[in-house]
Amino acid sequence: MPSTASRPTTAPPRNAPSGLSPTIRRPPRQATVAARFRAALRRAAPALLAYAAVRLVGLLVLTVWAHRRHHGVWPLLAAKWDADWYLGIADHGYARVLGAAYDANNLAFFPLYPVLVKAVAAVTPGTRATTGVAIAVVGSFAAAWGIHAVGSHLHGRRVGVLLTVLWAALPVGLVEWMGYTESLFTAFAAWSLYAVLTGRWLWAGSLAALSGLTRPTGIAVAAAVTVAALLSLRRGFSARALAAALTAPAGWLAYVGWVGLRLHRWDGYFAVQRLWHNEWDGGTETLRRLREILGQNSTPELFYVMVTATLLVSVALYALSLWDRQPLPLLVFTGVLLLIVLGSGGVYFPRARFLLPGFPLLLPAALHLARSSPRFRTVALTGAILLSAYCSAYMALVWPSAP
């Protein structure tokens, strides 16, 4: 049998100068994609390892504290509060009527996460609760990777790593590894914003649509993508940018429209939100609670203090983001997110969690840490990680309500 090494894999190009070697066959596209993925993973590895370390510290503190209180850790992570609602949707589906009971209609919860829980649990061992936590943990690493990608793209790898660590060390960081939607939503938001920053319009629109099927605040991601895409059309028409602008809000609109059809009223979704006390009031309730906690209550509950501090620091960080002239998509995303969270008349205590996906707000802090001395950076990050571990454990074990 003749050796394949004795003949060229492709014929030399016509009119090629003599003496040139034959054209080399291109590697398969799958191999190219895999190589790019591995290279990107190597670049993100320090951030992902740092993220895992921060969250493991928080989990260790929670486990020790829970053991001292004779309390199980797994139910806290997998089957309480909102996680129980999502598991109920995965098991039994959505309500068919509006009803009149407050805080009782599961149509307030967006569908992508419980659908994933049901689908993945059907083909994997373990319970749906286990599947829910596993999806959240995987989503948290995807989110950390996306956050690192945004930070590195804008300011270099050091800022990307620091931004990821700061996101991991938020006071409510435990939620990232609970059966909640914040991790999955943050992953969609981060990669959608990265796609906008790098001109990948179809990815940006598709991921924004998925975020709109995951949480109500998906409309903030959609706004960022749509505004950026429409503004880009001023530089010349792009079918992909126009498609992104139209696709980005599709997920959010689809679910809101479906709820309206299911309840046979055009404002069905908003009627459900009113039963959850989540009416828009322009910030009246937020200001009332701030005055009460800061000026009227001499001994406010610690968790309320943490939520209040998170809200005030977030507003200050947004002002710094404007001062730093962050890219418009990031400013639109965090601006709309803040408007939704601060302008809601709903319950006050989960608002720190609602702001968890707003990672661009941490960019000013990451930039400052990147420019600071190693000693200051070490002390600041260590303090943030320990404070996060304490606040997260307190939130789960002492605070009597949902995060």
Side-chain angles (χ1 to χ4, degrees), residues 4 12 55-56 67 123 141 206 287 306 311 316 337 377 380:
T4 56
R55 293 295 352 118
L56 287 173
H67 177 74
V123 296
F141 279 96
S206 299
L287 291 174
M306 186 271 289
L311 297 182
L337 183 65
R377 190 159 55 240

Side-chain angles (χ1 to χ4, degrees), residues 158-184:
R158 174 181 290 183
V159 172
V161 173
L162 290 170
L163 183 64
T164 307
V165 171
L166 289 174
W167 184 70
L170 287 172
V172 292
L174 178 66
V175 173
E176 297 164 14
W177 283 11
M178 294 174 67
Y180 276 55
T181 58
E182 273 72 17
S183 291
L184 186 64

Side-chain angles (χ1 to χ4, degrees), residues 41 49 56 79 140 158 218 222 237 285 292 319 379:
L41 182 58
L49 290 173
L56 287 173
S140 75
R158 174 181 290 183
F237 179 76
E285 175 65 12
E292 176 185 321
V379 171

Side-chain angles (χ1 to χ4, degrees), residues 92-387:
H92 308 295
Y94 280 107
R96 295 185 176 275
V97 296
L98 179 62
Y102 286 101
D103 304 336
N105 195 309
N106 64 6
L107 287 166
F109 298 88
F110 275 53
L112 184 57
Y113 176 74
V115 167
L116 282 177
V117 169
K118 184 175 183 178
V120 175
V123 296
T124 56
T127 65
R128 286 179 175 171
T130 302
T131 302
V133 174
I135 290 173
V137 172
V138 172
S140 75
F141 279 96
W145 193 347
I147 292 168
H148 173 264
V150 172
S152 298
H153 176 76
L154 293 176
H155 303 289
R157 294 180 66 184
R158 174 181 290 183
V159 172
V161 173
L162 290 170
L163 183 64
T164 307
V165 171
L166 289 174
W167 184 70
L170 287 172
V172 292
L174 178 66
V175 173
E176 297 164 14
W177 283 11
M178 294 174 67
Y180 276 55
T181 58
E182 273 72 17
S183 291
L184 186 64
F185 176 76
T186 305
F188 289 139
W191 284 109
S192 180
L193 292 171
Y194 177 75
V196 171
L197 295 174
T198 56
R200 296 173 171 89
W201 289 114
L202 296 183
W203 277 108
S206 299
L207 291 167
L210 290 173
S211 75
L213 288 170
T214 307
R215 288 196 59 76
T217 44
I219 197 64
V221 186
V225 174
T226 299
V227 168
L230 293 178
L231 288 177
S232 75
L233 296 177
R234 298 186 303 177
R235 300 189 296 269
F237 179 76
S238 167
R240 293 189 174 193
L242 181 59
L246 297 175
T247 303
W252 189 89
L253 291 173
Y255 181 67
V256 170
W258 178 81
V259 173
L261 292 174
R262 191 173 183 85
L263 298 181
H264 306 290
R265 51 186 295 176
W266 70 270
D267 67 338
Y269 172 75
F270 302 101
V272 171
Q273 289 293 345
R274 285 193 290 272
L275 289 177
W276 284 86
H277 310 281
N278 281 335
E279 296 180 272
W280 171 265
D281 67 359
T284 302
E285 175 65 12
T286 302
L287 291 174
R288 185 187 73 79
R289 296 308 300 269
L290 287 174
R291 286 196 301 268
E292 176 185 321
I293 293 168
L294 296 177
Q296 299 174 8
N297 190 343
S298 59
T299 57
E301 217 285 339
L302 178 61
F303 191 72
Y304 278 128
V305 174
M306 186 271 289
V307 172
T308 301
T310 300
L311 297 182
L312 295 175
V313 170
S314 296
V315 172
L317 288 173
Y318 188 72
L320 289 175
S321 300
L322 290 170
W323 181 266
D324 289 343
R325 297 183 179 180
Q326 278 186 15
L328 183 63
L330 304 187
L331 292 175
V332 171
F333 168 60
T334 51
V336 174
L337 183 65
L338 280 170
L339 283 175
I340 293 172
V341 174
L342 298 178
S344 170
V347 289
Y348 185 78
F349 54 81
R351 299 193 191 199
R353 170 169 63 88
F354 294 163
L355 286 175
L356 190 149
F359 69 92
L361 293 170
L362 300 170
L363 264 173
L367 284 168
H368 178 73
L369 287 174
R371 297 164 185 157
S372 63
S373 67
R375 177 178 296 180
F376 176 84
R377 190 159 55 240
T378 300
V379 171
L381 290 178
T382 301
I385 292 167
L386 294 178
L387 181 63

